[in-house]
Amino acid sequence: MSSQTGSYYAYLLRIWREQHKEQTVWRASLEDAQGGQIHGFGSLRELFDFLETQAMTNQEDSNKPERQEP
């Protein structure tokens, strides 16, 4: 998970093609702009799933009521 919280995420996206068993496949990586953590993906589908999970987690967190200190 990115070290960023809230409704903003910043990543450096890299995508490239590789040959794999006579087939061209896309690979990708995201580098967290704040913490520098790198996430690698074996396909664009994996990349999209990761981004969707990030967005859904953020949406679920924003729907939770804020905790009130006593």
Side-chain angles (χ1 to χ4, degrees), residues 7-63:
S7 60
Y8 182 83
Y9 296 91
Y11 295 102
L12 172 61
L13 169 65
R14 292 180 178 94
I15 59 172
W16 63 95
R17 291 183 297 201
E18 290 184 353
Q19 282 298 121
H20 181 72
K21 296 181 182 179
E22 300 181 22
Q23 190 176 25
T24 301
V25 294
W26 284 95
R27 306 287 191 212
S29 71
L30 290 178
E31 181 177 347
D32 186 320
Q34 183 177 2
Q37 182 179 10
I38 297 175
H39 305 273
F41 306 96
S43 69
L44 294 180
R45 174 54 40 211
E46 289 178 20
L47 167 66
F48 299 149
D49 289 346
F50 174 83
L51 292 172
E52 184 175 39
T53 298
Q54 289 287 90
M56 296 304 293
T57 299
N58 182 33
Q59 183 177 8
E60 290 167 7
D61 289 345
S62 67
N63 289 336

